[in-house]
Amino acid sequence: TQLLEQSPQFLSIQEGENLTVYCNSSSVFSSLQWYRQEPGEGPVLLVTVVTGGEVKKLKRLTFQFGDARKDSSLHITAAQPGDTGLYLCAGGGQGGSEKLVFGKGTKLTVNP
Amino acid sequence: NAGVTQTPKFRVLKTGQSMTLLCAQDMNHEYMYWYRQDPGMGLRLIHYSVGEGTTAKGEVPDGYNVSRLKKQNFLLGLESAAPSQTSVYFCASSYVPGGHEQYFGPGTRLTVT
């Protein structure tokens, strides 16, 4: 059972465009994280959100945690080729668990 | 401060051979995890540990064993490798329960022929 659904699975855009990636679940999480992974490397944490309705900004990236703590979105403004990578969302603390549940990822390609 | 390191980076095994993947972290984290990543499947948890001397099964534990004899090290063993275990393996560590802020190693690419 895939507890976290990410969409879209693939996204190819031109430099300068805006985009939004979604992460949805029917389960409640105590935290939700976004990671970026580049080819041949391990995932790197971008942000953690823990409060329903929370919005965090990291330069051109805006992360939002849903009010019910079941979903999240990642919005990138004026995408650049350096944003290319696999974006993974992960939910933590479900039922007090020590584990993270990962989505399958969104592969983003930003063309110059 | 090296963070999380994994050895080896690449390995090719024949079916039935055994090997051990080593993960080491220098951040004094209590929690350590082994994942495998396959195309279209995302990251799947194999085994994890909540402290020295403890281990627990994750989502896909069959065919793998682990040990956490020292806090900084987490070993993943394949006793009899199968082609289905061809994958990229990632180790991660965390200092907070609930999986907050996991730090990942660079991965080991394993091919079983």
Side-chain angles (χ1 to χ4, degrees), chain B residues 7-8 10-13 17-21 65 76-81 108 110:
Chain B
T7 53
F10 302 93
R11 185 72 186 268
V12 178
L13 287 178
Q17 288 184 322
S18 62
M19 77 163 295
T20 300
L21 282 67
N65 57 76
L76 177 70
L78 287 73
E79 290 187 347
S80 180
T108 295
L110 174 66

Side-chain angles (χ1 to χ4, degrees), chain B residues 32-112:
Chain B
M32 296 187 75
Y33 308 82
W34 274 108
Y35 295 91
R36 59 178 291 174
Q37 187 175 40
D38 304 288
M41 300 297 292
L43 280 164
R44 293 183 292 170
L45 183 64
I46 304 171
H47 286 282
Y48 65 102
S49 169
V50 301
E52 182 178 317
T54 75
T55 62
K57 293 180 179 179
E59 180 185 355
V60 288
D62 294 343
Y64 305 95
N65 57 76
V66 288
S67 64
R68 184 102 181 266
L69 299 180
K70 293 183 178 181
K71 185 177 183 179
Q72 63 268 34
N73 295 336
F74 196 26
L75 278 64
L76 177 70
L78 287 73
E79 290 187 347
S80 180
S84 61
Q85 294 178 303
T86 293
S87 187
V88 182
Y89 291 86
F90 289 100
C91 175
S93 70
S94 173
Y95 61 92
V96 177
H100 287 238
E101 299 190 357
Q102 289 192 6
Y103 295 83
F104 283 81
T108 295
R109 183 173 293 275
L110 174 66
T111 302
V112 183

